[in-house]
Amino acid sequence: MCEPRHFDVAYAINPWMDPAGTVDRSLAQAQWTALVDAYRTHGHTVETIAPVPGLPDMVFAANSALVVGGRMLGARFHAPQRQPESGAYLTWYKDAGYQVHEPAEVCEGEGDLVPVRGLVLAGTGFRTTRAAHEEVRRHFGLPVVTLPLIDPRFYHLDTALFALDDGPEGNIAYYPGAFSAEARATLAELFPDALLATREDALAFGLNSVSDGRHVFVAPQATGLVCRLAERGYVPVPVDLSEIHKAGGGIKCCTQELRP
């Protein structure tokens, strides 16, 4: 994770961002710290990277890479404003002992790549390219399922879908309206028991959540999703990142998972 010390909305690269608006950096910092505390309270280890001045979106650590089975694939950002983040994150991964692999195609890490049930669900349409999906398949040796996104408000896969749990019976939650008809059919076939979210909960960043298989760290504004998670036996852990929502990200965007 990367603290929002330099967080701002200084440009617009998704529909959520309004450079004419105001940002309360101290509130963003307090909300981010609450998320770190929530992870640690529930038994998780949090590593941090130092934020770099001039990179306001570096707080969105999930976009930095995909790490599965100890293997790492870095990021190549679509927007010029974010491209310098790649080098800062690659240095962190190298120093942490990872063998760094840089993609040749535009690939925005866990923003568009969700491992579940031995697959990698891969978004495309706004950021990560279809060609990058083939790089992911070759690098990790895992089947990759391409899922076209069609609504610019859900420009990354992790704004519209998250893994509830892993393992042979791994399941997901998602908002169907974010996906093409082809992708909706694929998801319905692969995950017939998926938790389907409403547009209201998706717009409240409810799908930008992190689950450890029991606890689901979720935006409290997604009230319907919170109730449905509880009905299915999960333990919702509401964490408000409303200030960070102004840049188009939430809990998952701030969280890069390091899978051993």
Side-chain angles (χ1 to χ4, degrees), residues 57-71:
D57 283 340
M58 197 171 165
V59 65
F60 299 129
N63 304 157
S64 71
L66 176 65
V67 180
V68 179
R71 296 177 66 82

Side-chain angles (χ1 to χ4, degrees), residues 117 170-172 174 186-196 232:
R117 203 195 290 170
N171 203 4
I172 63 171
Y174 70 99
T186 298
L187 288 170
E189 180 179 357
L190 288 174
F191 301 97
D193 193 38
L195 194 165
L196 303 184
R232 290 205 179 198

Side-chain angles (χ1 to χ4, degrees), residues 42 44 164-165 210-217 229 233-237:
H42 290 84
H44 300 289
L164 286 165
D165 34 51
V210 172
S211 173
D212 61 16
R214 175 167 172 75
H215 308 99
V216 180
F217 303 86
L229 287 166
Y234 297 96
V235 179
V237 181

